[in-house]
Structures are given as structure tokens and as C-alpha cells.
Amino acid sequence: MTSNGYECLYLLLPMHASSSSLSTSINKTERVSNSSRQAAMGRIERLQSSYQSLDESFEIGKEMYRGQQYSQIYFARLHLMRTLLYSLVPLWKPNSPVCTVLGLEEGKECVIVGTLFKHMKLKPCILDEYSKERSVVPLVKPHNFVNQDDYLDLEDESGRVKLGGNIIVPSVYVTGIVVAIYGKETGAGDFLVHEVLEAGLPPQIEFPIKSREDRYVVLVSGISVGSSRSNPLQFQLLVDHITGHLGDEKEQSIASQIVRVVIAGNSVEMPRGLLNGQNLASKDLSRMAEPVKELDILLNQIAAALPLDIMPGPCDPANFALPQQALHRCLFPGSSVYNTFRSCTNPHCFELDGIRFLGTSGQNVDDLDKYSEAKDKLDFMERTLRWRHLAPTAPNTLGCYPYTDRDPFFIESCPHVYFVGNQDKYDTRVIKGSEGQSVRLVCVPKFSETGVAVMLNLRDLECHALSFGTQFSP
Amino acid sequence: MNKNNSRKRSAPPPQPPPPKTKQALSLEEEFVDEDVFIDETLFSEDEESAILRDIEQRQALAARLAKWTRPPLSQEYLSQSRSILFQQLEIDYVIGESDRGLLPNRSGPAAIIRIFGVTKEGHSVCCKVHGFEPYFYISCPPGMRPDDISRFHQVLEARMREANRNSNVRNLVIDVQMVQRRSIMYYQQLESQPFLKIIVALPTMVASCRGILDRGIQLDGLGMKSFMTYESNVLFALRFMIDCNIVGGNWIEIPVGKYKKTTKSLSYCQLEFDCLYSDLISHAPEGEYSKMAPFRILSFDIECAGRKGHFPEPTHDPVIQIANLVTLQGEGQPLIRNVMTLNSCSPIVGVDVMSFDTEEEVLLAWRDFIREVDPDIIIGYNICKFDLPYLIERAATLKIADFPILGRIRNSRVRVKDTTFSSRQYGIRESKEVTVEGRVQFDLLQVMQRDYKLSSYSLNSVSAHFLSEQKEDVHHSIISDLQNGSAETRRRLAVYCLKDAYLPQRLLDKLMFVYNYVEMARVTGVPISFLLSRGQSIKVLSQLLRKAKQKNLVIPNAKQAGSEQGTFEGATVLEARAGFYEKPIATLDFASLYPSIMMAYNLCYCTLVTPENARNLNIPPESVNKTPSGETFVKSNLQKGILPEILEELLAARKRAKADLKEAKDPLEKAVLDGRQLALKISANSVYGFTGATIGQLPCLEISSSVTSYGRQMIEHTKKLVEDKFTTLNGYEHNAEVIYGDTDSVMVQFGASAVDEAMNLGREAAEYISGTFIKPIKLEFEKIYFPYLLISKKRYAGLFWTKPDNFDKMDTKGIETVRRDNCLLVKNLVNDCLHKILIDRDVPGAVQYVKNAISDLLMNRMDLSLLVITKGLTKTGDDYEVKTAHVELAERMRKRDAATAPNVGDRVPYVIIKAAKGAKAYEKSEDPIYVLENNIPIDPHYYLENQISKPILRIFEPILKNASKELLHGDHTRSISISTPSNSGIMRFAKKQYTCIGCKAVLSGGNRTLCSHCKGREAELYCKSVAQVSDLEILFGRLWTQCQECQGSLHQDVLCTSRDCPIFYRRKKAQKDMAEARLQLDRWSF
């Protein structure tokens, strides 16, 4: 299988050589290919890092669909969050009584804790499929369903109350967040909000200070092998760069400091059009698996050189509902033989040299972007941390496994690095928490569209973009 | 609108509809006055004080209720120093001692009219009107002189006395007067003739007196003589309204000093007073007086804890919750929201929850609530047949004697009357009529059934239809469990109950029923309650009586007048040239065709010339119209008809209302005006139906057959003119062609291919042809159909254009399969095909779509919910003569589990399953849930042949050659897949073995996933498996979160079992498929 990959590489390069000024890289690749295996072992040693996977809570082992509904996950979430918020209330509103929605009395100021529910006029609804008059003009799918008439309800297991006043802005919040609210019930049965308390950043494990040398993690997403927009050469360049097959010695020495590659979803694009409910001819079936095979060949090269984590995304051959389970090993007959190759869940959580990473393939943030508003994607990420919930819109608008006893998306411990994949552009920021927490937020762009991967330095959590292009403007 | 259509398009008698049996008709149409004696239903003083004591005991509750009372009276009202102006909503009468103060000359029992209403400040009013007496007319026998009248009076009085021996009334016949009137029937040259106006003591005596006169009485010098009576069938309250110029829902004023406050009030109204009928001022509903008073609307719903397997019965099952919602007319938000529960119930935000330990307390609390809140209108869903009778019968079972005091009259018990409703459609049904004095009952179910043609009338599907939201439906077998649970589960039930109380109110608001019905009452002049409880004809009769009174005409009480004449030819439908037209089709419509004809040709009772008169009277031929059906009517220069006059007024008023509507800014005013113009239109169209209703009040088939004959003539005339004028010979580009015409419209293909060009030609044609008709008959150009699919007569579809640049909508007639016994698949298929054909203009696409759907059906990939057929279970199996699928299924389900089996009144959903060869159709029905759970194969051929084929072929036949062969017997029908039932006999003996996911080969050894042959393809096969799981997960999430949304709670499990909901089965199926697909996927974990 491995040799097959290199054959492919040879075929690939001459094809593109004419279209772009890549003469230098061809030379380098040739040189490297001569000494392919020995390169890493030879002059430059690749650095190593300790790695611990924390995906356990996202793994669905023996849990089954047994007719359970979504109420239980909300209940579990409310229970977890309420315990937490109740512990904060004495500091926040020392003298206020804490009520349940049922216990509200008109005019009495109090604190209530509950799950938010946002009523949205524009929210698409499965019942629309059955509406008596199908609209003549097909609905234009808006990318955002926020409307000025949206309003919030607060719900606990005892009941629901409509939230009034202009303190709590519906466009910021989404269904599924648990918050504490201070205010009073008005005569009309509304709850007039005076103040809102969110859980805030969770406690963080201490940042390890021992390391003084640069070590890099490469974050990449949206490779979309098989998509019409993806350029196979572009990713090959990234692979070659990471594996030290590109550039001069200085570049290679930087490459040797890359200790891990994390692929955050959408590595392939399946020809979904083939799956229209009708039976598939075996010819079509094999066409469908074509991109996966190609991906295996590419990953094979990375896995041979350094540790690799691959997360499933919405377009990958994985299940749809969060947490998405690891891509099956049988999809990667070539790369999965390496012990450096790890197929992970989405969301994905791990520690690298004591630095905690948490990331998703982007669904949580994309869904927030549909049902709420913020100035940029990093804002959404920050909010999820402050709400202490990775995917508050699950299960409401984001598919999710119907858990019965827990909510795996509750963020118990604050990560040092929090990334989401498949975003439109690269963006990063550091946010600080009230207890000294510091989190590096990273939007990992779609590689197939931007040619950008992200290098993150484990020493100081500084990040920079790694940009690859095959078309040089004259 | 519906009524209007049906009236226009079908031959009389459209009202009442033919399927009803005579029994139903007589119930609906027979107007009977029933005297109610004041003391009959009242409590004695002792009882009353006992009730008062009882109330004291529950003072805590009273205090709670007290905050909802009406606003207190101002000083001006208390001191009677201002006139009382109120909007009346309900008028009835009782028999009481006549008032000596107001009527010093009368004594003994007399009819007292009670008008209930609301002032603009929101005070409730009970106005008792004295001095109005019942009367009717007979034609004066020739030769009777004024001096003979007293003799006649005595004879009549004596005969009346015989018939009413027990009456304690001193004078049964109060007076007989000779008056000059004329009968409305037939053209007469004499201005008037002597008539006798007979005034009797009590309203019921009109009928008995009529009976005596019908049979004939012995008169001196004249011998035995029987009399035709006139206006003896007019209800007393209506008679009063007509004579006082009061129309339903208008404002009435009683000036200062003309009313007298009642010393001992008999009602719970804030303002109760006596006055004389001559002192009433009735305001026409215009300007300031077109507004609505802030009346109180109570919407309520009850829940009963039924026993397993039985529909709740008042003799056994307790009432456990009553939810109430009170709204002031014109306000967006309800004033009061509360729920009364048996046993504790956790609080609900914004709702006053009142919990009681015994059922008696619940019922009494509700009674007190009604009394305190004093609603003017009581609404709900199916309250007239279920909720109200149930409460009353339940109270009777519990022996709570003082419960049924729900009306406005102090201590007067609510009366429940059994009525039988019978029709071929619904079978014989016992129902109840509950009289709640002074409060209008407005049952939304009745309204829906009257005004809209829907496939289902359950509250769920009605609210899905009009409010676009699904209602959570809790099966009645769960209700008892919820009730027997904790305060939490009862709260759950209360929330559900409240929602059921809220939905009728929202429907009322959304569909503007208050405005539309009040306006209809104002236009036609009948009380609001008549609109629901009585047929169409009373509305026309009321207008006819009013008009006749102005003209000094009297209307004979001759029901049988036209009944022997049989039927006559209906409206014309021009032959439809079926096809798919890809050029614009212009539609020329006659505006209000039938009313226009009646006006244009002066068709009326009083202009009709009998053949006998035609010979005798020597009417000049130029003064009459001979109708195409051979009748003769005089022209308006000799005698202006009453019906044309009524119609003219209605249409003029509609024009005015429409003009005002354009001007109006205020949304409430707009609502009133829109309701009015709609009411006017419906009224104008129902006049024709009235004359054609052979079992109606005053049928006159001469009129109705003349109307339709003119209509036919006009359609033919139009067709001829269009095809003669718009020809290439006359300089037009194409020859016009009339492709179809129906009752009042003609479809023309002018040949032009641009929409605007066709529009101009259409306008030109309309104008040209209108010029050839007598006014006000007018042909209008309204719309273009382009493209247009004409299937057969009364069945077509097309895109509807009123402006040249863009079409307005897709319009279909007769092919929308709203029939209940069709499954959703048919409806979707038809809709999608039309969409593809008409809008996308993609016929091959539509063909492919149908083929795919048929293939899906045969390959068992169809969503089961699309295949569900539902039918109402109206009686148990034994009562049906023919075995039917749904009844048989209900029986089978009862044997399986009596608790969840459908009961009488439920709708039974079923699918048709594959059964043994030769099985009867009714044996092949099965419960969809059972089918899902046990993998029972459905019968695709049944669906293909009995459901899909006809509607699909209908659409495609005009478009496609060999449609049947191509669509129903093509290649796509070759492969068939049938699922294996998991419960059938043979499968229990089968040994289960794993088969290869790739090639279905039986696996051996330790292999659980793939055979050795398929091993190399594992990546692609896995992709396929996981894609399946992924699709199901998407569906699972969307379906179950939608149900959470509908039930309005995230933290509680979805309980809903609404089988009317389109996603109910899909949700269930998604759950099951999900579990299976996951198991399949787990086979990969090696």
C-alpha cells in the first residue's frame, strides 16, 4: 500500500508542474524520495511529546437507542449546571431567595436557574414539509434564522416562564443554555430580567512551564479530498512540509519540531448525490469510496512520519449526531497499521505535554452562527466556554445522541487550547478568565478553500498560519 | 366563500344539502316557539338561601374570583340619570306576569322579551321589554265586513279555549283587526286587500291558532271555512326584532326616564330594567354604532378521567380539570387564565391554579367562576355536544342540584334538551342542546364544520390547518394515569388542558369569527345564536320579512307551495376540452351571476305571473319578460320585485363596505368592514338558494329555474360571441377558442402566447360582451391561467396570473385530494407532480418523480406515515351493515388491548397489509404502529391500484400518451421488496443467521460482518452503512426536537399520541430504524 502512495505522488507532480512554478519543490521532492525513509532518522531528529487522549466521555460504547428521548440530556445538563450555578449565587446575589419557575410570586425579586428556550419565527421546522400549500417559490435558505421577534423562555423541570426586559438579548443566546437569572415576575406572567449570570470559564489545570523549546502542533481541517474545489497538490505540499520533505534545513528543522498533526473534520467529500435512497450499483459504491482511498494514501505519509489525530466532520463517512464516533479503521487500511495514527471522536479532547486541547470539527459553532449572532466566530467560541457547554444547541438544532444520564458536552475543565475546524478563515485570540484561566481560541479554516493550516507552538501557545498555494500570481 | 360556491354551482335545492334526511330537515327548518315560564325553573326562596349559605362557606374562593368581576357601575348609571346604550347579543323571551306599571291595561301572563347585551364600558345589561304581542295574518274572507270581526273574534276565542283548556290566560285571542295588506305571491294588479291581523296572548298560541284556522272554523253566514295563514311561522323574538328594526348584534338605546330599574332583580346582570317596546331606539350599525362592545369571551375545556377502554361517560367518570380563558373582545391577550383541578396541582406561571379535594367543589367553583366573570359568549371545541352536557350530567349524577345555574337568570337551571341529528353522512347521532340563558354559545367545531371543508375536524388538524401548529394530543387512556400521579403530572395535564382552551380562542381571533358572525347577524337581521343553530333560509326569510313589512306585503305560510313541482335543470357546464394548454387561457367571469340575473330580469315572488293571470289580466307583452324556462315575470315598471330590491341593497352595501375598507386605517374597523362585505356577498348569493329549496320556507321554483335557465343562456351566448368576434377574419391574430365554461365563467384561449397580450384581449372581450347584457349583468376579466391543465369538467389546475409579470399562485380545482379516505402519499404525489408540470414546466421530471415514488413503494422504502388512511369510527362493529376496514381493525385492536383501542368517536388510522390470497379488503387493514413494530409488509399493489393510479392518471392522461402503461407498468415496477414479518407463525421456527452485509451470503465461522469475497470492499460497504445511520440520525433529531417544541417543554418526555400529526409515525419509525441501523453498524466493530 505504501509504495502505491509514492507512485501516485510521482504521477501527480508532473501533471501540475506546468501549471505552477514548482520547479524547486520538484527537485526537493525527488531528493527526498531518494532517501525517503532515512530522512527523519538521519540528520534531524523529530521531537516527541507525551500524549494522553481524553475522548472517553465522547465515546458511545454500549449505549443504545432504546426509545429514549431528549428530555433526559436536558435534565442531566440542568442538574449539572444548576449545582454549579447555585454555588455561585451566594456570591452574586447574597440576599436573594432562589426559586424554581413554579415558586415564582408576582413582584418578588429572586434568582431562578433554568434552561433557555428561544422561540424563533424563522426556525425551519420539519412540519413545513407537510404544510398545506407548498410555497410556489422555493424557500431561499437563509444562513441565519435570527429575527427581531425572537424571545426567550426560561425552563426548569417544573415549568416555563417568558423572559422580559432588555437585559437579556435573544440574539445572543440560544436554546439549551443554562443560566441563572435575577429578576421578578410581572403581572402578565412574564419574568422581568434584571441581571443574568452565566457559569463562566471552568477551572483550568495549571499550564506546564517546564518546556522551553518550541514544539508545534499542526491543526488542519476541511481537506475535502474528492471535492471539485480541492487541489490535491496543495495538501501534498502540506504533507511534504510536515514530513520534512520540503524547504531547506532551517525549514526542515522547524518541521521536525512538529510533534502532532490534528485533522479537524471534513477530510473527504463523499459524492452524496449517489445516495438518493435508490439501490446503489456496485460501480457507484466503489466510486463513493474513492475519496477515502485517496485520503488513506495521504495520511499514510503523515502517519509514517509523526503522530496524527483524525476527527470526523459533518462530511466524513461517520455518523451525524454529536459526539461523532471515530472514523472506522477499515476505512484506512494503509495508515491504520501505524501506531502513530489515531482515529478520534468529534469533539476531541487530549493533553499534550500537560497542555489540554479541546476541539470540534465546527458543527457547534456553525450552528450557533445560524441561531444567534456575534461579531466573529471566536465570539461564539468564547461564549460556549462561558456557558460551560460545548454544544448548547444540541439536541435542539444540532443532532446529538440521546444520552440518558449525562451530558458529555458540559465543559468540566477549561482547555488551554480550544479549536474548531472548517471555518471560513483563520482567526485566533487569547481569552482570560476571572480565575486566571487563559485559553487560546483557534478557528481552523477549511484547507481546501484557503490552503491554510495552523501551527501552534506548545511553548507559549502562539499560533501562526501555514499557507500553501500552487498558483502564484505573476 | 364555500357556501357561496356550492350555491352557485349546484342545482337547487342546495340548502339544505340533499344527503340529509327529512328528519334532520324538519329539525333544522321547523321554527317552533317554546314558551318558558319564569317560575318553572326557578328555585324556591328556601333553596336560594341554602345556596347563599353554601357560598358563604366558600368565601375564600369567592374572594379569589371577585377580582374578575366586571367594572363597577358609575354614579350616573346608579342614579338612572343617563340613557342606557348597549350592544345586544342575545334576545329571548319568557312568560311572566305583565307589568302593571308599564301596561296598566293588561294583566295576566304575557311574553316578556329579554335583551342581553353589554355597554361600551363593559357593563352587562338585561333589558326586559314589555308590551310586544305575538300576531299573524289571515286573508279576510270575502264578504266579511268590519262589524263581523267581533263575532269572528268570539268564535276563535272559543275554539282556542277548547284547545288550551289548562291555560289561565284570560283572553287567548287579544284582538282581531282588519288591515290592508297584499300577499307577496304572484303579480297582482290590486294595491291591497283586507287582511285580518290576529293578536294572541302568548307566542305558542300562534301555532295552535294557526292549526285551528288551517283546519277551518264554522262562521255564521260563511259556513266551515279554512284559512291560509300569513307570517304565522315567524319566531317571536324575530318578529319583535323585525317590528322594532333591530338587527342581530346592533346597539340599542333606552332614553333616560323610559326605563325602570327592576326592584327585585332576576338576573346577575349589572343593569337590569323594564321598559316598553315602543321606547326602544335601535341604532343602525353605522359609524359609531358599527363598533363592538368589549364583551367577555370565555373559552374553556374540561378533562375527564375515563376508564380504560371506554370513552368517558358522565355517569361513571369524574371531571378532573376545567381550564378557562377569558378575553375581552378586541384585546390581544386574555384577561384571565385559570384552571380548576381535582386534587393538588403544581403552579403554572401566569395561570391561576385552583385545586380542590372533591369533584363537587371543582364543579361548584366553576359555576361561581361563570357567575363572577359573567361571560357574554362561551366558546370551546365541541362544547355543545360534549363539555357542557357532560358537566351538567355529571353534576346530576353527583346530585349537585345547584350546579347548573350557569345562565344569567338568577336561580334558573340550565336546560338540556336531547336532540337527534341524523344524516346519511354521519349516521344518527344523539346530541344535546344546552340553553344557557343570556350567553351566546359559539362552538368552534360547529363553525368549522359549517364554514370550512376540511379533511379532518379534530382540534389538532384544524389548528394545524389555520394556525400552522401541531397540538400535543394526550390519549384519554393516559389522562387517568396523569391524574392518579403526583401534583407534577396533574400540572402536566393542566397545561395540556389550558392549551385546549386557548386554541379555540386563537382560532376565533385568527379567523375573525366574532366580526364575521356579528356582521352576518347585522346584515341578515337575525340574532347571532340563529346563525349557528339554524339553517340558511332563516337569514333570507328575515330579510324578506323586513322588506315585505316596508312594502305592506305579507308572506304566506305555505311550506308545500312548491314541493310538487319537482326538480329542474341546473347550471350549464360547457364541454371541457381536456388537455394541457401551454398558451395563456383567459377566464371571463360573471360577477355575482345569479343575483345579477334576478335583478336584471326583475325575478321575484311578487312579479311572477301565473299562467292563469297571464290570460286574465291582459298585461301588455312589452311589460313582461318570458324566461328561457317558460315563466313570465312582469318588468319593474309595473311592479318592482322585492328580491331584486333586497339584492340591490345588499350589493350596494357591499360596494360601500369595500370602499370604506379601502379607506379604513384602524385594524379593528377593517375587520368589521371586511366581515361585513363577506356577509353581504354570502347573503346575496343565498337568496337564489332560498327560492330553490323545495322544503324551505317559501320555495318558488319558477324563480330558481328561470335563474339557471338565464345563466345557461348567457354562457352559451358568451361562447358564441367570443368565437365569432375574435377570429382571423376580423383582423385578430388567432382564432379564439372556448375550451371550457362552468356556471359563471368561461375559459378562452385567444391564441396569444404572451400573458399581457391575452390579458388585453380578455379585457376587450369582457367589455364587448358585457355591452350585450341587461344591467347589472356584467362579464369581467379577472385572471389568466398559464399553463393550464384541464382534466375534465370541474377538474383543472393552472398557474393563476392577475398581473403580467408574475403569477400569483397555483390554483387547482377538483384534483386536490382532500378526501379523507386518501392517504397522504396521494396528496403529496399529486401536488408535487402539478408543481413540476406547471411551475417547473418539467413533464419528464414529473414522470420520473412518479416512477421513483412507485418504485419506492414497491421496494418498501416508503415512509409509512404517507400510507396511513384514517376513518372515523361512528358506531361499533355490530351496528355496521357492511364490514369495513377500519371497524374490523378497531375490533381486532380491542381484542389485543382494550385500553388503547379506538372508541366510538375516535378516528381509526390504518394501513393495508399483505394478506393471504383471497383475503377480503376489510381483513387487510392493520394498525400502523403494530405494522411498524412487527415489520409487517404492506400491500403495495393496493396502494398502487386503489390509491395512486386514478389521481395520477387523471393528471397525466392529457399530457402523456399511454400514461397508464408508462407510469404504472414500466420497468420501475419490476423489482419488489417485501419485509419479513417478525411475528408471523413460520418465523418463530426460523433460525437467524448473519448474512454478509455486502452480498447477503450466509456467513459461517466467526465472521459477523462480511464474507471473504466482500472483504476487499469493506471501506465502501462501511461508507454505505454509516451513511444510512447518519441520515437516520438527522431525521431522529429533527423529529423528536419538533415534538419537544410542540409540547412546549424540554425537560419532559413527549407523550403526544396525536395520530393526526404528520410526523407521528415517522417519529416512531425513526426511533425503531435508528436502533436497528445502530445494531447493524455495531457489527463492524471488530
Side-chain angles (χ1 to χ4, degrees), chain B residues 339-356:
Chain B
V339 61
M340 294 156 182
T341 64
L342 177 62
N343 296 339
S344 63
C345 171
S346 305
I348 302 165
V349 180
V351 175
D352 195 350
V353 178
M354 296 182 253
S355 302
F356 304 93

Side-chain angles (χ1 to χ4, degrees), chain A residues 104 110 112 161-164 181 183-185 189-193:
Chain A
L104 290 177
C110 63
I112 47 174
V161 62
K162 186 178 168 184
L163 298 180
I181 282 177
K184 65 180 177 193
E185 191 196 339
D190 287 5
F191 191 80
L192 185 65
V193 180

Side-chain angles (χ1 to χ4, degrees), chain A residues 46-61:
Chain A
R46 184 175 294 279
L47 297 178
Q48 304 281 322
S49 283
S50 72
Y51 174 85
Q52 191 194 352
S53 167
L54 298 167
D55 278 347
E56 206 183 343
S57 64
F58 299 122
E59 279 161 16
I60 297 170

Side-chain angles (χ1 to χ4, degrees), chain A residues 65 67 69 71 102 115 123 125 127 129-130 132 134 136 155 158-160 189 277-278 289 319-321 328 395, chain B residues 347 349 465 470 491 807 832 861 1022 1033-1034 1040-1042 1045 1048-1051 1053-1054 1062 1066 1071 1074 1084:
Chain A
Y65 282 84
Q69 301 183 6
S71 56
L102 277 190
T115 313
K123 184 182 162 186
C125 157
L127 293 172
E129 285 178 23
Y130 299 90
K132 49 193 178 301
R134 303 195 172 197
V136 173
E155 179 180 327
S158 67
R160 222 178 228 204
Q278 309 289 329
N319 63 326
F320 167 82
H328 200 276
Chain B
V349 180
H465 190 265
Q470 292 288 333
R491 174 183 183 280
F807 63 88
D832 290 345
R861 282 191 299 252
Y1022 179 78
E1033 279 176 339
I1034 296 177
W1040 283 91
T1041 50
Q1042 179 58 44
E1045 202 126 314
S1049 155
L1050 300 175
H1051 295 98
D1053 267 354
V1054 176
R1066 245 177 121 187
Q1071 206 170 36
M1074 192 66 238
W1084 290 88

Side-chain angles (χ1 to χ4, degrees), chain B residues 4 109 490 756:
Chain B
N4 164 25
R490 283 187 290 273
D756 53 346

Side-chain angles (χ1 to χ4, degrees), chain A residues 206-282:
Chain A
E206 209 171 314
F207 188 76
I209 33 169
K210 55 178 188 238
S211 168
R212 278 288 122 225
E213 55 181 347
D214 291 329
R215 279 157 198 265
Y216 294 100
V217 171
V218 170
L219 301 170
V220 62
S221 68
I223 301 158
S224 298
V225 175
S227 144
S228 56
R229 281 165 307 179
S230 84
N231 178 351
L233 185 56
Q234 209 170 25
F235 188 60
Q236 187 63 53
L237 285 174
L238 173 70
V239 172
D240 288 347
H241 174 78
I242 296 170
T243 51
H245 293 164
L246 271 191
D248 53 17
E249 263 181 40
K250 191 174 155 247
E251 277 175 43
Q252 288 180 352
S253 80
I254 293 176
S256 73
Q257 290 164 339
I258 300 174
V259 295
R260 185 165 282 267
V261 176
V262 177
I263 302 175
N266 289 2
S267 311
V268 291
E269 191 170 295
M270 312 280 280
R272 291 243 165 198
L274 291 174
L275 280 174
N276 58 355
Q278 309 289 329
N279 269 355
L280 279 182
S282 69

Side-chain angles (χ1 to χ4, degrees), chain A residues 325-338:
Chain A
Q325 297 304 292
L327 293 164
H328 200 276
R329 295 174 69 84
C330 76
L331 297 170
F332 307 106
S335 25
S336 62
V337 298
Y338 293 93

